[in-house]
Amino acid sequence: MANIPDGMVWAKLEFNLQQVKKDKFMDGFTKMVPVYHPFERGVAEKVILAFCKEPEDIKAAEEAGAFKAGGVDMIDEIVKGKMDVSEFDHFLASEDIVPDLKPLVGILRDKFPKKNLGSVSSDINKMVKTFANGMLVTVNKAKKTLGYDEDLSYGWLRFRLGA
């Protein structure tokens, strides 16, 4: 292992999913984790579409790495079918444009920007960089298996580091 500096390393993190009350537990979840010092990990470049109201935010999103950024006009283009959204990996939005996104719920479905998923924020620059270079991770809950009872407080995550 030490003689392969460019080798891939699998890491496993374990989580305590117990909340403040002893009988309450978190469910498994998926989040985009920022990678502040990007490294080559064999993942295709992500194509990001950002929705912003303010022209400064649109410019900031494009400078941060969004493939395309726009406002209400771009929402209308998508609703009318003038713009294909199948080529985009992530849809991000600034907080001020969220009420205008309602017509896109049926079109974007699972990729619709939501605050709890981290795809809606007031800092569009940081959010675009997070989704462009970040790593999508899923914390899983342990299931009941042969010889082991289900432990509601236990969660685990497995992810890859390196190339």
Side-chain angles (χ1 to χ4, degrees), residues 16-19 24-29 141 152-154:
N16 181 359
L17 299 177
Q18 186 174 19
Q19 294 184 0
K24 297 286 183 185
F25 303 96
M26 291 175 50
D27 290 329
F29 57 90
K141 291 197 74 153
L152 298 175
S153 67
Y154 180 76

Side-chain angles (χ1 to χ4, degrees), residues 58-156:
I58 293 172
K59 186 177 178 189
E62 289 174 341
E63 288 174 358
F67 183 76
K68 188 166 179 137
V72 179
D73 297 337
M74 189 169 66
I75 295 170
D76 292 338
E77 285 181 25
I78 294 170
V79 170
K80 292 177 183 174
K82 294 180 182 176
M83 187 173 163
D84 184 25
V85 294
S86 63
E87 61 192 40
F88 296 100
D89 297 316
H90 301 289
F91 297 91
L92 310 177
S94 61
E95 290 178 343
D96 56 352
I97 201 166
V98 170
D100 299 326
L101 294 176
K102 293 211 186 282
L104 299 178
V105 171
I107 298 169
L108 300 182
R109 298 182 186 195
D110 293 341
K111 294 183 178 183
F112 186 80
K114 295 178 188 159
K115 186 138 181 117
N116 65 341
L117 298 177
S119 54
V120 174
S121 174
S122 57
D123 188 356
I124 195 80
N125 183 25
K126 182 178 177 184
M127 183 173 48
V128 169
K129 287 181 180 177
T130 297
F131 276 82
N133 300 320
M135 187 182 305
L136 191 65
V137 297
T138 302
V139 174
N140 302 300
K141 291 197 74 153
K143 303 282 188 244
K144 183 177 180 178
T145 60
L146 186 63
Y148 293 99
D149 286 335
E150 184 178 26
D151 184 2
L152 298 175
S153 67
Y154 180 76
W156 59 274

Side-chain angles (χ1 to χ4, degrees), residues 23-47:
D23 60 340
K24 297 286 183 185
F25 303 96
M26 291 175 50
D27 290 329
F29 57 90
T30 300
K31 287 282 184 187
M32 183 64 72
V33 177
V35 176
Y36 294 110
H37 302 286
F39 57 93
E40 180 58 42
R41 58 183 197 263
V43 177
E45 190 172 322
K46 298 172 187 128
V47 183

